[in-house]
């Protein structure tokens, strides 16, 4: 079952030294918890707690630390304040650099929780006004839990003049766990 798989990953991922393998395992656990479990919310919470705890327990500055923070951001429902503290730097695991890509990971997670609006995403674009930053902003806006955000993402994803990268960013943000009723 999905629950057994998620718990097996949690029980064993700490013994994995290869960050790429740990990342795949945690991603698969997130998929199992969000898509294949009747108790998805409970499993998501367990996975979030494990990932956050592991981020502070693994070697400072390691790739494994980054993997666990990213995994946490992917399942941080109900933990918006922790995401905000990671983003503003007030509660970051020792050795973790919150670089541009990690900032965008946190911004997208916060946007999906409804804790950031367009003004705040615009501020992030001002920090990273690059092609990549603008695409991250598309994903963040698409992830927002509002009908207007979903309509905007759908319009961008289906517009004839949207680039493949814009379509990918919009559709990646369109569906987020816990937003089924909105869609």
């Amino acid at each position: 079952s999905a629950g057994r798989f998620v718990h097996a990953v949690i029980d064993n991922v700490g013994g994995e030294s290869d960050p790429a393998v740990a990342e795949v395992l945690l991603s698969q656990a997130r998929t199992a918890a969000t898509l294949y479990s009747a108790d998805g919310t409970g499993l998501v919470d367990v996975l979030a707690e494990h990932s956050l705890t592991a981020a502070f327990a693994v070697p400072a500055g390691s790739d494994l630390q980054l993997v666990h923070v990213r995994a946490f951001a992917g399942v941080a429902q109900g933990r918006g304040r922790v995401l905000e503290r990671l983003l503003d730097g007030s509660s970051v695991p020792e050795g973790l650099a919150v670089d541009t890509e990690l900032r965008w990971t946190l911004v997208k997670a916060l946007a999906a929780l409804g804790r950031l609006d367009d003004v705040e995403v615009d501020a992030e674009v001002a920090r990273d006004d690059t092609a990549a930053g603008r695409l991250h902003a598309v994903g963040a806006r698409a992830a927002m839990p509002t009908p207007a955000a979903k309509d905007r993402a759908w319009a961008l994803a289906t517009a004839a003049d949207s680039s493949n990268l814009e379509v990918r960013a919009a559709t990646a943000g369109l569906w987020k766990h816990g937003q089924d009723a909105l869609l």
Side-chain angles (χ1 to χ4, degrees):
S1 82
R4 283 197 310 266
F5 175 74
V6 171
H7 286 287
V9 169
I10 288 169
D11 291 343
N12 294 290
V13 74
E16 182 54 60
S17 61
D18 185 332
V21 173
E23 186 169 35
V24 168
L25 288 171
L26 290 166
S27 175
Q28 290 173 341
R30 181 184 67 234
T31 298
T34 58
L35 297 179
Y36 302 114
S37 170
D39 181 30
T41 302
L43 286 175
V44 167
D45 288 342
V46 168
L47 191 54
E49 187 62 33
H50 164 77
S51 297
L52 184 61
T53 300
F56 283 89
V58 297
S62 69
D63 288 341
L64 283 170
Q65 188 177 50
L66 180 60
V67 164
H68 285 290
V69 170
R70 280 191 263 183
F72 171 73
V75 291
Q77 295 178 324
R79 291 179 170 81
R81 184 66 191 126
V82 176
L83 287 169
E84 289 168 348
R85 294 181 72 204
L86 286 165
L87 183 62
D88 71 17
S90 63
S91 181
V92 176
E94 182 181 338
L96 181 69
V98 182
D99 63 7
T100 302
E101 287 301 308
L102 183 54
R103 280 191 70 81
W104 279 114
T105 298
L106 298 169
V107 165
K108 287 188 265 189
L110 284 162
L113 295 175
R115 295 183 75 111
L116 294 181
D117 60 20
D118 286 323
V119 171
E120 291 158 313
V121 173
D122 288 343
E124 287 300 321
V125 173
R127 288 175 66 107
D128 179 28
D129 193 9
T130 63
R134 290 186 293 277
L135 288 171
H136 283 303
V138 167
R141 289 186 178 101
M144 293 175 181
T146 66
K150 301 308 178 188
D151 288 344
R152 182 176 50 204
W154 184 255
L156 181 62
T158 58
D161 61 344
S162 293
S163 72
N164 290 342
L165 293 174
E166 289 171 319
V167 170
R168 183 179 300 151
T171 56
L174 194 60
W175 181 85
K176 293 296 178 186
H177 180 66
Q179 295 183 357
D180 294 348
L182 178 62
L183 292 178

